[in-house]
Amino acid sequence: MSGSTKRPEQSPQKPSEPERPSVLLDGLSGLNGPIDLRSRVAGRSGVHSSGSSTSARVASASVTGPFSLGSAWSRLVDSLAGDVILTHVPGRRVLDLGYGSPEISGWVKARIGDHLSIVEKGALDQAAGRVAETSGFLPASQFLDADGNLMIPEGDEDEPSVNLAEYPDANFDVVYCLRTFPHLGYDTTSSERLGRQLLREAARVTVDGGEVFVQIANPRSLRGIVEGIRNPITVVSRRRMILGDRYGLTRWDTIPRFLRFVPPELEFVRVHGLGVLIPHNATLHIPLVGGVLSRLEWRLRDLALFQRFGAQILVVLRRVNRGDPGV
């Protein structure tokens, strides 16, 4: 993986700040305090990376595919997720797996500087050109046993794999993976294998008691229902949907399904619901309604009755102590 990882530059000068809306700049003026993201103004993020995944910046023809960084819906989701992550990063070593949200990475960089390391999605799966384009449905039922448990085959030497060997064990206090986990791989088999490998590597490089944040697409949501109606043949057994288009693959996992990928080194802590009431970007542009719903999203994100119905789920995991007998 030599040369595949984007590392923060070591320089005595303060890292250049990405261009941001004035309201956000006001919130960043005191980096030791919380950043109020609820007041973000509209506008496309100025954060870019020459090595970032092309698919992350291209709007997909499918609602499920990689969504445009400039859409109102993606900005709302970034604000909801970023507000959670930023409370955990001050004074800590952080790893961004996938560089799925350059804007959030910019906020984290503003807080911790060179303590942020980034591994871009292209270095995680290297499979963007192998996505099946002939069908919108990638069958998955053959990878389930009689009890509904995943039977994930091991990859061979020719298959892409997630390997963070250049990072030693217990190297980061916080690891987050945004807009990346659902888009790993090029078919059902590789998607599930890479997802499991990513979580194992995240656990390995995280210190005991450290946090791992993973964003997943949730089929038990209004957005998932919309996709089921628009693509009825893509609703598969055992509560999972896997969709493919020419921009990439998107897997939708329920929370119980996702937790089956989680290795014993990580324990479940909580979830945050992102996009509970808003199934589509167009909803935010409805006069009055869009503004009211976006404000409600902030309240519903952490309410127990609603957080599990977000279009996107931010799952929080904790690294189990390495001395525990069960690890």
Side-chain angles (χ1 to χ4, degrees), residues 169-191:
D169 294 358
N171 195 57
F172 298 99
D173 303 294
V174 175
V175 175
Y176 65 84
C177 180
L178 305 176
R179 298 189 187 177
T180 299
F181 188 87
H183 307 299
L184 291 172
Y186 57 90
D187 60 9
T188 301
T189 308
S190 62
S191 172

Side-chain angles (χ1 to χ4, degrees), residues 14 19 28 62 66 108 124 166 176 184 193-194 237 245 266 280 283 285 296 322 325:
K14 183 180 180 180
E19 185 179 358
L28 288 172
S62 167
V108 173
L124 293 176
E166 54 203 276
Y176 65 84
L184 291 172
R193 184 184 67 252
L194 289 170
S237 64
D245 60 31
L266 295 174
H280 194 274
T283 309
H285 297 286
L296 283 174
R322 285 166 169 80

Side-chain angles (χ1 to χ4, degrees), residues 53-66:
S53 171
T54 302
S55 64
R57 287 185 264 118
V58 180
S60 171
S62 167
V63 175
T64 64

Side-chain angles (χ1 to χ4, degrees), residues 122-157:
L124 293 176
D125 61 9
Q126 303 173 347
R130 303 179 66 179
V131 176
E133 297 185 29
T134 58
S135 173
F137 173 48
L138 303 175
S141 57
Q142 63 266 42
F143 300 110
L144 299 171
D145 62 19
D147 298 324
N149 298 315
L150 286 175
M151 300 181 297
I152 306 176
E154 294 291 342
D156 55 40
E157 294 181 355

Side-chain angles (χ1 to χ4, degrees), residues 30 46 67 137 272:
F67 38 87
F137 173 48
H272 301 277

